[in-house]
Amino acid sequence: MSEHRWPYVALILLLLSAGIAQILHRHWVYDVPLLPGESQTVWSVEARVELTADAQPVRAVLARPSNQPGFMLLRESGASPGYGLNFIDGGNPVAEWTKRTASGRQMLFYRADVLESDAYELMPEPEPALTVTSWPEPYASAVGQLLALAHRTSADNFSLTRELLKAFSAVPRAQHVELLISEFSQTLPPLLVNMLNKAGVPARLVYGLRLQDGRRQQQLLPYIRVWQDDQSQVFDIPLQARNPALFDRDAPLLLWEQRGEPVLEVSGGRDSQVRFAMIRREESTFASVANRLSDQHELLNFSIHSLPVEEQAMFKTILLLPIGALVVCLLRILVGIRTSGTFMPVLIAVAFIQTSLITGLVGFLFVVATGLVIRSYLSRLNLLLVARISAVIITVIAIIGLFSVASYKLGLTEGLKITFFPMIILSWTIERMSILWEEEGGREVMRQGGGSLLTAVVAYWAMSDPLIRHLTFNYIGVQLVILALVLMLGTYTGYRLLELRRFVSLRQDGS
């Protein structure tokens, strides 16, 4: 080995050693499992309260979750510089922030770690008292007609609730149901609770979160809790504004507020709101690692877990990008696959993770094919480059919009996920392929387009693998190992796998 290569070799050895050492340290000292599935699932849910203080004493009270079926509350924490923070337990657990005086925009954080567990049942709580509500005509008649029909086709409080909710979600709906929806569309959850109370059914409005890994900027959703003797059940409410591409009805439901109390109360401030971010982690025997992982001041415990949940959710995807980059290096340098844009396949693979593979492939091919047709017309107009690219971007947005609307009208909610595609990257891909078509023909376009899609699919498989996702998120040292591998690939000067085809004729001549 020549003398000038030693720094390069030393750098690679240093990166490999540091990466492997960090992985082993996290595994041996902090008991973080090397394989997914060896652990229990822990959800970290962070509530971010924002308000504008009016230069006077501020008091903000946020409802806190408690143990419930499927979840056990492990630990709670808060971040609120300059504020006093108290966790008040009792029948209605809340987090209370107080400050003598504050002004301007304020941000308060509350974080709860909950363990997926069947150890707890729904909290035994006495049924609420029935409330009496009256409606003006013709709504009173519509309510009476709807309750009479639900009562005839039900056997108890739970089945009556299902019949009532089914009437609101049916297609087409009866006229009296349409009448109620047109008048109470903004207050449908309380209307349903009042209707159940009128039918003699104890019911209450509660709020919960569907736990989906990596979701940010989420809001609590209303649900109805209904009692039958000493039992109670929680029902979803139809006709709520939810993005079908993002909302997973089968995701675990964490009830955040179960007693019909306000979720957030603020005095001394205005324009308050609360948003939620959540992330799923897998930890081994939690009791043995909880204290260690929560020690955010220990320098050696260098992990993404020490960040706020919203940032953790963001990094969970970002940390997969080096995996995609490594796949691109392997396929381009060792195999010899040509792609349209060096790292465009990585961004497409990230979009595939959001959309699912089949939906993403169909959407990508549809958008690019339609865009190429329109781009061929734009080339006849001899537009300047900036104007042409702008026109392509607008066209791509229009195509995605039309595709989404058509999918929704046809009931294909999977099609709505096409909005996850990076539109600017798609526009540049269309522009690049169009130029390539004009200069080198359709065959080269198919070759590079196919290479890009193949690379994106391989990167998608690698980035969506549970083991790789587990390692990249829990072990920062993996990034150093990947960097070392990329540096090693960067000095490869041998033949690519696809170039070996050139020697086939020599072998035939020799034989």
Side-chain angles (χ1 to χ4, degrees):
M1 180 180 297
S2 59
E3 186 175 346
H4 71 280
R5 299 284 292 175
W6 276 110
Y8 165 74
V9 175
L11 175 62
I12 290 178
L13 292 176
L14 178 63
L15 290 173
L16 286 174
S17 302
I20 294 173
Q22 197 275 342
I23 292 172
L24 295 178
H25 179 264
R26 286 273 296 166
H27 176 63
W28 288 338
V29 177
Y30 297 101
D31 204 16
V32 178
L34 287 171
L35 298 175
E38 293 182 350
S39 55
Q40 296 173 291
T41 300
V42 177
W43 289 91
S44 292
V45 185
E46 183 182 83
R48 179 188 300 225
V49 177
E50 297 186 36
L51 59 96
T52 301
D54 295 327
Q56 55 180 315
V58 176
R59 178 175 177 268
V61 178
L62 176 70
R64 291 158 46 209
S66 54
N67 294 325
Q68 54 194 274
F71 296 103
M72 181 173 67
L73 186 63
L74 292 176
R75 59 193 173 210
E76 301 171 282
S77 60
S80 46
Y83 277 82
L85 171 61
N86 292 286
F87 295 139
I88 302 174
D89 297 319
N92 185 30
V94 297
E96 182 187 61
W97 290 271
T98 52
K99 192 174 185 179
R100 185 63 64 180
T101 180
S103 59
R105 200 63 179 165
Q106 308 288 306
M107 283 197 296
L108 313 172
F109 295 91
Y110 167 79
R111 172 172 166 172
D113 290 338
V114 292
L115 172 69
E116 284 193 1
S117 170
D118 295 327
Y120 286 84
E121 297 181 351
L122 200 59
M123 290 185 62
E125 188 171 339
E127 60 185 38
L130 298 177
T131 60
V132 179
T133 306
S134 60
W135 296 272
E137 292 295 348
Y139 310 111
S141 297
V143 169
Q145 188 176 355
L146 186 55
L147 289 178
L149 178 61
H151 189 270
R152 284 197 301 271
T153 56
S154 62
D156 53 19
N157 291 348
F158 298 148
S159 58
L160 188 146
T161 304
R162 293 191 193 93
E163 291 297 316
L164 182 63
L165 297 176
K166 187 170 68 177
F168 278 89
S169 57
V171 178
R173 285 184 284 265
Q175 290 186 357
H176 51 281
V177 177
E178 289 287 1
L179 177 68
L180 292 174
I181 291 176
S182 63
E183 178 63 21
F184 300 98
S185 60
Q186 302 299 319
T187 57
L188 185 60
L191 170 69
L192 291 169
V193 171
N194 292 333
M195 291 177 66
L196 289 170
N197 284 176
K198 184 176 179 61
V201 177
R204 173 182 291 164
L205 203 59
V206 297
Y207 292 88
L209 283 170
R210 289 288 179 188
L211 298 182
Q212 297 175 255
D213 189 22
R215 290 294 181 211
R216 305 160 60 196
Q217 299 292 321
Q218 301 296 297
Q219 291 180 291
L220 292 178
L221 298 174
Y223 294 87
I224 295 178
R225 184 174 181 179
V226 176
W227 278 259
Q228 172 73 45
D229 300 328
D230 58 346
Q231 301 292 322
S232 65
Q233 289 187 15
V234 177
F235 294 87
D236 197 0
I237 299 177
L239 306 179
Q240 299 301 295
R242 296 165 183 168
N243 188 339
L246 301 176
F247 184 75
D248 183 1
R249 191 177 297 276
D250 298 326
L253 173 63
L254 173 67
L255 292 180
W256 194 271
E257 205 293 310
Q258 304 185 45
R259 298 163 187 81
E261 300 293 335
V263 175
L264 176 64
E265 290 182 298
V266 174
S267 60
R270 52 187 165 80
D271 301 331
S272 61
Q273 65 174 9
V274 57
R275 293 287 187 274
F276 296 84
M278 62 201 74
I279 195 166
R280 184 179 61 192
R281 298 201 310 270
E282 291 188 353
E283 297 180 359
S284 58
T285 309
F286 188 83
S288 65
V289 299
N291 293 331
R292 299 170 186 173
L293 291 180
S294 62
D295 190 354
Q296 301 179 10
H297 303 291
E298 189 173 347
L299 182 59
L300 291 179
N301 186 16
F302 190 81
S303 76
I304 300 300
H305 298 148
S306 59
L307 295 175
V309 172
E310 188 163 354
E311 281 66 27
Q312 288 186 42
M314 181 176 61
F315 268 101
K316 198 162 192 175
T317 300
I318 291 176
L319 291 175
L320 290 172
L321 294 180
I323 297 293
L326 179 61
V327 170
V328 171
C329 288
L330 289 170
L331 294 182
R332 286 180 65 102
I333 296 175
L334 297 184
V335 181
I337 291 178
R338 282 188 279 183
T339 62
S340 178
T342 306
F343 292 105
M344 184 271 284
V346 180
L347 300 178
I348 298 300
V350 173
F352 285 169
I353 292 175
Q354 302 291 332
T355 62
S356 76
L357 182 59
I358 300 300
T359 304
L361 280 173
V362 172
F364 178 82
L365 292 174
F366 176 78
V367 172
V368 171
T370 308
L372 282 174
V373 173
I374 297 175
R375 171 61 178 78
S376 65
Y377 170 74
L378 293 176
S379 64
R380 301 176 187 175
L381 302 180
N382 295 323
L383 300 175
L384 296 175
L385 176 63
V386 175
R388 192 171 68 235
I389 295 296
S390 301
V392 173
I393 292 173
I394 296 170
T395 302
V396 167
I397 294 173
I399 294 170
I400 290 178
L402 291 173
F403 186 84
S404 300
V405 172
S407 301
Y408 184 73
K409 293 289 185 184
L410 294 173
L412 304 173
T413 55
E414 283 289 312
L416 297 177
K417 296 179 179 178
I418 195 175
T419 53
F420 287 109
F421 274 110
M423 298 180 189
I424 302 299
I425 299 299
L426 278 178
S427 302
W428 272 108
T429 301
I430 293 171
E431 174 68 16
R432 183 188 295 271
M433 287 187 174
S434 180
I435 294 175
L436 192 64
W437 194 302
E438 294 170 355
E439 295 178 350
E440 301 187 31
R443 183 176 180 180
E444 186 62 23
V445 171
M446 297 300 294
R447 180 178 297 171
Q448 292 196 16
S452 298
L453 272 184
L454 176 62
T455 306
V457 170
V458 175
Y460 161 79
W461 281 334
M463 296 164 70
S464 58
D465 183 81
L467 174 61
I468 292 179
R469 295 175 71 91
H470 170 78
L471 292 176
T472 54
F473 182 63
N474 290 287
Y475 296 98
I476 290 293
V478 172
Q479 308 299 321
L480 300 179
V481 174
I482 295 174
L483 177 58
L485 295 176
V486 169
L487 292 178
M488 292 169 65
L489 287 171
T491 59
Y492 178 74
T493 57
Y495 288 109
R496 294 172 174 84
L497 186 62
L498 295 180
E499 291 177 335
L500 299 180
R501 292 178 303 175
R502 293 184 298 174
F503 300 99
V504 173
S505 58
L506 296 177
R507 180 180 178 184
Q508 291 173 347
D509 294 341
S511 62

